Amino acid sequence: MSDFDKDEQLQHPLLERHRGILEILIDERVFSVIKMEKGFYIFEFCDEYFSHELNKADCLELSKLFRELTEELEH
């Protein structure tokens, strides 16, 4: 994905609402969630080699993970 255009890939309204954290994670070359023609993908951004097309189960599991992390951080 060498022709990655952050502004173009983050245009989806859902991603735009979380643009701040997504831009930080992209700029620090960690990962991002982007919208491509076929769907939503999670990409690692060290060299943009690895990716995974997200499905509903993936999103629910990630949501659960981050909810549990939030509860752990509140302690």
Side-chain angles (χ1 to χ4, degrees):
M1 191 165 164
S2 58
D3 61 345
F4 180 77
D5 179 345
K6 181 171 34 177
D7 289 327
E8 180 181 333
Q9 300 299 333
L10 296 178
Q11 285 298 313
H12 190 278
L14 185 146
L15 299 177
E16 187 65 42
R17 286 194 299 270
H18 303 282
R19 186 180 191 94
I21 189 64
L22 291 174
E23 284 186 335
I24 289 168
L25 294 169
I26 290 169
D27 292 344
E28 292 182 357
R29 302 183 62 80
V30 179
F31 78 89
S32 189
V33 177
I34 63 171
K35 175 71 168 111
M36 295 180 70
E37 186 174 318
K38 291 172 51 179
F40 289 96
Y41 286 77
I42 189 167
F43 268 85
E44 61 81 26
F45 267 79
C46 177
D47 60 7
E48 301 174 12
Y49 184 76
F50 297 102
S51 68
H52 174 74
E53 183 176 7
L54 295 167
N55 61 40
K56 188 174 184 175
D58 295 334
C59 293
L60 290 170
E61 184 67 25
L62 288 169
S63 174
K64 183 177 179 180
L65 167 67
F66 283 106
R67 184 174 39 254
E68 291 174 7
L69 282 171
T70 299
E71 292 168 4
E72 186 70 24
L73 290 171
E74 289 176 352
H75 296 271

